[in-house]
Amino acid sequence: MPTFLSSRKWTRIALLLILVILGIGLAIVEQRNTSSPGPVPSDSAGEPDYYLEGVTMTRFNEQGIAHQTLKSPRLVHTPADDVIRATSPKATIRDAAGRQWNISGDKGRLGPQRDLLTLTGHAQLVQPEQGWRLNTDVLHYKSSTGHAWSDTEAVLRQHEQRVRGNRFDAWIDTDQARLSGDVRGHHPQLAEDES
């Protein structure tokens, strides 16, 4: 009889050990599945005081209406220069008439007063209602004046037409745009003009 009790006791201990090992294994697997934040970004402006991942940042005007939205997989703020840097930013702004404008680029930089947004690398400014799109390498947008500009070569397209220049300026609230410096254009004839 003592042999029977000791084998039953050992069976319970073995089952308990198996459950403990299984629990530890599941805890390790569970920790591996949780996504940890990426490495802390570094910048010449110094170490960031915070960064946010998978973010939508919205700015409101004086009337409390959302007039600017910035989406990015990662926003990084550096306190030394009070600048927010964005990865793959996509911004939506509304002009005085309530029309939507879309701005995007590979990288973005939002200045200290959050008034100047600079996009670099495949920068685009799109006005969907009027069907035009600007492509350039560096695009600036100052929200207080509604002024978007580029000092690098820019291509402005509207439907099948395209115009290229060395500088671009647009004032979105007043519906004004200007290309300057070695301006060249392509304006295909419409089908009704050809007949």
Side-chain angles (χ1 to χ4, degrees):
M1 193 91 166
T3 309
F4 176 70
L5 283 177
S6 62
S7 72
R8 187 181 243 188
K9 187 177 182 181
W10 285 112
T11 304
R12 285 182 183 169
I13 291 174
L15 282 174
L16 180 64
L17 283 174
I18 290 172
L19 286 174
V20 168
I21 291 170
L22 185 61
I24 292 171
L26 288 173
I28 291 171
V29 168
E30 182 67 27
Q31 285 180 349
R32 285 186 183 170
N33 287 339
T34 60
S35 61
S36 60
V40 173
S42 61
D43 190 270
S44 59
E47 190 171 321
D49 57 347
Y50 66 85
Y51 65 96
L52 305 167
E53 294 183 336
V55 190
T56 299
M57 185 171 81
T58 304
R59 294 187 68 194
F60 297 87
N61 63 16
E62 295 81 24
Q63 292 78 32
I65 299 169
H67 72 106
Q68 293 179 11
T69 303
L70 177 67
K71 292 183 180 183
S72 174
R74 177 178 266 202
L75 291 179
V76 178
H77 178 261
T78 49
D81 57 3
D82 192 24
V83 168
I84 294 175
R85 289 165 180 81
T87 305
S88 304
K90 293 183 186 332
T92 303
I93 56 177
R94 298 221 175 260
D95 63 18
R99 291 175 301 203
Q100 176 178 311
W101 298 71
N102 301 318
I103 305 175
S104 63
D106 294 339
K107 294 182 180 179
R109 184 178 194 274
L110 194 56
Q113 278 73 46
R114 310 299 175 249
D115 188 39
L116 179 62
L117 175 62
T118 302
L119 297 156
T120 56
H122 303 99
Q124 279 193 358
L125 174 64
V126 178
Q127 207 299 307
E129 291 175 20
Q130 296 176 353
W132 66 266
R133 180 178 78 231
L134 175 86
N135 293 87
T136 188
D137 191 48
V138 180
L139 179 67
H140 307 278
Y141 174 69
K142 190 166 188 170
S143 62
S144 61
T145 58
H147 182 206
W149 75 94
S150 176
D151 294 319
T152 59
E153 186 175 59
V155 178
L156 180 62
R157 292 179 175 86
Q158 185 175 32
H159 309 297
E160 299 302 315
Q161 301 178 57
R162 68 180 179 275
V163 182
R164 180 182 307 268
N166 293 338
R167 178 173 170 86
F168 170 80
D169 286 279
W171 293 267
I172 65 170
D173 290 327
T174 58
D175 243 356
Q176 296 177 355
R178 176 179 62 211
L179 271 170
S180 54
D182 196 24
V183 176
R184 302 171 306 280
H186 174 71
H187 306 279
Q189 286 186 321
L190 299 175
E192 54 196 49
D193 291 344
E194 295 172 354
S195 52

